[in-house]
Amino acid sequence: MAHDLEKAKQDFLAKLAPLTKEAEILNLKSEFVGKTGVVSEMLKSLKDMNPEERKTFGPRANELKDFINDQCNLQLSKIEVEEINKKLAEDRIDISLTDNIQVKTTKGGGFHPRTIIQQEIEDIFLSMGFDVLDGPHIEDEFHNFEALNIPADHPARDMQDTFWFHDPHTTPADTKKYLLRTHTSNIQVRGMLSRKPPFRFIAPGVVFRSERTDASHEMVFTQLEGMMVGKDISVANLIYFMKTILKEIFKKDVEVRLRPGFFPFVEPGFELDIRCLICSGAGCSVCKQIGWVELLPCGMIHPNVLKAGGIDPNEYNGFAFGLGLDRLVMMRYGIDDIRHLQSGDLRFNSQFKLF
Ligand code: DAH
């Protein structure tokens, strides 16, 4: 009987060795240890043996059964691993492949021309020691008007047609509390209240006016506010900064002119115009045929504004300006209608710097 066991084992090993397929191994397994398998039959014959024989043969037959099971399972798991590896190797994507496959190309995104100019101007100001601040689009009356020396019922409020939020839960008298900021000057107030002089900062952002649109007016447009507060700051400092900045932006000397301008938050206030770069001064729709474009209203900060910002006007003074970014974009790229900027038209947008 011992001889039969050894023979069965050798027989099994010889048959197993060349097998490479899962089904073949399962068949072999059942040939030896399945219900009617060679070894199973041997185990069945145990009952006909005498106790002595059974004692030695039983454990050895069971041992062989376990051995065959283990060998088959080992072989099966090897095949499984091989199959997985094969699949992984087939699925591998060679990301270094470029030349010999057809790469599907899509156009990358790009920056809006306004973003390009805004980032450039931010860099110029940062290099001149200015901070860059941000502020809320939904603003209250205090920051948008009152603190800027424009009290309720002041006629200057009519200069800026405002989008008000009407809150149905308040009485009509209270409704004019919140608005879409009409200018970035709201950040003057927030900037002053959160720092101690001397300081200088700019604040770029969109502003909103309930206005009729035309080639040079939009309801949503972009400004870049600036403020410098310190001791003994003069109009000469203001003019120097403005000229330097425009020169940096246009990469050449641009012709400017300074006119008196009225803004309640500056005294004196100015309008800084540049010679129209679209028509070189001959007259076009952007400059309304005058040859000059209003670009940079500015002035010396009104003492009331400094006070509202928690600054003593007897000790400190400064200048402020509100650069019209869209006009600047138009001048730089020769765009003759401001409405293109807000149009979202890809034929327009994709003409500028793509990633
Ligand atoms: N906030 C003004 C406007 O939107 C622009 C402006 C004028 C800003 C004079 C200033 C300034 O800081 O000094 O029309």
Side-chain angles (χ1 to χ4, degrees):
M1 274 309 206
H3 170 72
D4 291 346
L5 281 177
E6 189 50 37
K7 189 175 167 298
K9 185 176 177 180
Q10 293 312 326
D11 198 14
F12 164 75
L13 287 174
K15 284 184 168 172
L16 178 67
L19 301 188
T20 52
K21 297 207 170 69
E22 188 184 346
E24 294 168 344
I25 294 170
L26 288 173
N27 280 342
L28 184 69
K29 195 173 167 186
S30 99
E31 185 185 327
F32 281 84
V33 295
K35 252 189 185 159
T36 54
V38 181
V39 181
S40 312
E41 290 301 328
M42 287 179 179
L43 282 164
K44 276 182 207 160
S45 66
L46 272 177
K47 60 180 190 318
D48 307 322
M49 293 178 187
N50 64 42
E52 224 17 64
E53 264 180 329
R54 206 182 294 157
K55 219 168 147 191
T56 51
F57 184 75
R60 290 183 61 192
N62 273 318
E63 225 171 75
L64 178 61
K65 188 182 168 191
D66 292 345
F67 174 79
I68 289 173
N69 271 325
D70 290 350
Q71 287 298 311
C72 289
N73 292 342
L74 191 73
Q75 229 27 57
L76 285 170
S77 60
K78 266 191 198 162
I79 290 174
E80 198 182 352
V81 170
E82 269 165 24
E83 261 168 26
I84 291 172
N85 284 343
K86 201 170 136 207
K87 224 174 171 178
L88 285 176
E90 278 166 7
D91 284 354
R92 191 168 158 264
I93 297 168
D94 184 351
I95 53 168
S96 66
L97 271 184
T98 49
D99 302 338
N100 49 356
I101 54 165
Q102 192 81 40
V103 183
K104 220 177 159 190
T105 50
T106 47
K107 266 195 193 155
F111 284 120
H112 191 278
R114 201 156 49 199
T115 311
I116 299 172
I117 295 246
Q118 185 177 319
Q119 288 176 347
E120 264 181 46
I121 298 179
E122 283 179 15
D123 284 345
I124 296 169
F125 277 104
L126 282 167
S127 74
M128 293 166 97
F130 284 73
D131 290 336
V132 181
L133 305 190
D134 199 4
H137 295 175
I138 297 176
E139 191 50 285
D140 55 41
E141 271 195 283
F142 173 75
H143 292 92
N144 197 84
F145 290 130
E146 261 156 49
L148 290 164
N149 201 29
I150 317 174
D153 304 324
H154 191 287
R157 288 211 183 185
D158 297 339
M159 286 164 69
Q160 304 187 349
D161 299 305
T162 310
F163 286 112
W164 294 94
F165 285 90
H166 292 284
D167 183 347
H169 302 295
T170 52
T171 60
D174 284 341
T175 51
K176 286 188 166 185
K177 269 193 175 147
Y178 293 99
L179 51 106
L180 283 174
R181 69 175 179 198
T182 56
H183 49 185
T184 44
S185 306
N186 64 328
I187 307 168
Q188 285 194 16
V189 186
R190 293 179 179 276
M192 280 189 291
L193 289 170
S194 60
R195 46 193 25 83
K196 293 229 167 310
F199 56 76
R200 48 183 99 170
F201 60 78
I202 55 163
V206 281
V207 300
F208 309 85
R209 302 259 176 105
S210 175
E211 275 188 356
R212 188 192 290 266
T213 61
D214 60 30
S216 53
H217 291 90
E218 254 291 18
M219 284 192 269
V220 181
F221 54 103
T222 320
Q223 292 185 336
L224 186 138
E225 194 76 13
M227 194 174 214
M228 179 164 175
V229 172
K231 290 194 174 175
D232 305 323
I233 292 178
S234 69
V235 175
N237 297 129
L238 166 65
I239 295 172
Y240 166 78
F241 267 95
M242 299 305 106
K243 275 192 157 174
T244 310
I245 283 147
L246 291 173
K247 194 175 160 181
E248 287 282 339
I249 293 170
F250 291 108
K251 316 250 183 315
K252 62 174 178 188
D253 278 320
V254 280
E255 209 181 326
V256 300
R257 71 175 188 188
L258 207 60
R259 297 178 284 125
F262 172 73
F263 304 96
F265 28 92
V266 280
E267 182 57 42
F270 307 103
E271 286 282 7
L272 192 145
D273 301 341
I274 66 164
R275 177 70 85 186
C276 182
L277 297 175
I278 303 270
C279 62
S280 307
C284 67
S285 63
V286 173
C287 62
K288 298 195 199 106
Q289 316 302 331
I290 351 176
W292 292 91
V293 177
E294 268 181 38
L295 193 69
L296 224 170
C298 52
M300 302 304 290
I301 305 164
H302 196 289
N304 287 351
V305 175
L306 289 169
K307 270 189 235 162
I311 294 166
D312 181 356
N314 295 318
E315 211 181 328
Y316 294 102
N317 70 345
F319 63 76
F321 56 91
L323 188 62
L325 272 191
D326 305 83
R327 298 256 167 94
L328 210 61
V329 174
M330 293 165 78
M331 292 291 115
R332 160 76 89 79
Y333 292 107
I335 299 164
D336 61 2
D337 195 318
I338 192 173
R339 290 167 291 195
H340 287 307
L341 296 176
Q342 208 64 20
S343 67
D345 188 335
L346 287 177
R347 288 169 305 179
F348 171 78
N349 289 358
S350 59
Q351 296 174 66
F352 304 93
K353 195 164 94 189
L354 296 177
F355 298 136

